[in-house]
Amino acid sequence: MLNKVPEVTLYFWLIKILCTTVGETAADYLNDTLGFGLTNTSLLMAGLLAAALVVQFKVRRYVPSVYWIAVVLISVVGTLITDNLTDNLGMSLWISTGAFSLALAATFAGWYSLERTLSIHSITSLRREAFYWLAVLFTFALGTAAGDLFGEKLNFGYGPSVLIFGAMIAAVTIAWSKLGLNAITAFWAAYILTRPLGASIGDLTSQSTSNGGLGLGTTGTSFIFLTAILALVGYLTLSGADQTTSDAVLEPDLA
């Protein structure tokens, strides 16, 4: 099969952040605004994610609409996993952040021990794709827990949290471009950090002004960001601007 994920371009990061924001606000919209409840929302979205991943695994190449639908749904499910642990099971955000960090590290360790690479430019087999999506799921769950920890438990607030995680991503970018940080390490570090960044943006835009937000609500925020995702994915589908040039490994393996 050809490489199953897009080229890492500015479009990739824009859509990724938009998806993470939707993951935060859509989960709240279904759970609270529509009154589905946390359990029913979790079951519904897990079923939709399973269906989306079946389609994603069946296609033999990267298809923008199929891939990004899976990312949107996995962002919602990752949010709901953390919410279930916190709200239904009473798990501390400190513990869930640590647990998801360990789960992600174990996923990377297993992936690298079997494949000798963590490059997303070499998702060309079923096993590599399975590791990839498992890692993505844990990044979303971890990012949700870390974002909530900073924004709520540590009382940084939504706006400052956006600035903090944005600065962390900028630091990773500088370390990669100027200081020689390994490209794969830099990618996954930025990928993890975009989740709490997007979650903080979602909270900032959706929460009421009395709680430090902009007051757009989960409905308005979800609509705006979903519309932006659809527009960008539509453009990429027509232009092919994020298609990989080949199925070769284009990044060096982690030493």
Side-chain angles (χ1 to χ4, degrees), residues 24-109:
E24 183 75 13
T25 59
D28 291 341
Y29 174 72
L30 294 171
N31 181 20
D32 298 326
T33 306
L34 295 185
F36 281 13
L38 188 55
T39 300
N40 290 334
T41 301
S42 300
L43 292 174
L44 171 64
M45 299 312 297
L48 291 175
L49 173 61
L53 287 178
V54 167
V55 177
Q56 168 65 25
F57 274 88
K58 281 186 174 295
V59 297
R60 306 299 294 173
R61 60 181 179 84
Y62 163 66
V63 179
S65 58
V66 174
Y67 175 86
W68 287 112
I69 285 173
V71 173
V72 169
L73 290 172
I74 207 167
S75 72
V76 177
V77 171
T79 299
L80 290 168
I81 290 173
T82 299
D83 289 347
N84 273 283
L85 292 176
T86 303
D87 298 338
N88 285 346
L89 299 180
M91 181 179 290
S92 163
L93 287 170
W94 287 102
I95 295 176
S96 59
T97 298
F100 287 129
S101 297
L102 292 174
L104 182 59
T107 300
F108 283 146

Side-chain angles (χ1 to χ4, degrees), residues 95-160:
I95 295 176
S96 59
T97 298
F100 287 129
S101 297
L102 292 174
L104 182 59
T107 300
F108 283 146
W111 182 355
Y112 186 74
S113 67
L114 292 173
E115 301 293 339
R116 310 311 298 173
T117 182
L118 300 179
S119 173
I120 70 161
H121 287 142
S122 60
I123 309 300
T124 55
S125 69
L126 179 62
R127 185 166 67 183
R128 288 187 178 187
E129 189 172 14
F131 273 119
Y132 172 78
W133 287 108
L134 184 61
V136 168
L137 176 62
F138 284 136
T139 64
F140 278 112
L142 170 60
T144 300
D148 289 346
L149 182 63
F150 269 76
E152 298 174 12
K153 299 301 181 183
L154 297 181
N155 296 317
F156 278 94
Y158 304 125

Side-chain angles (χ1 to χ4, degrees), residues 225-246:
F225 282 79
L226 277 173
T227 301
I229 291 171
L230 289 173
L232 287 171
V233 172
Y235 168 74
L236 293 176
T237 300
L238 294 174
S239 67
D242 64 339
Q243 297 285 341
T244 52
T245 56
S246 73

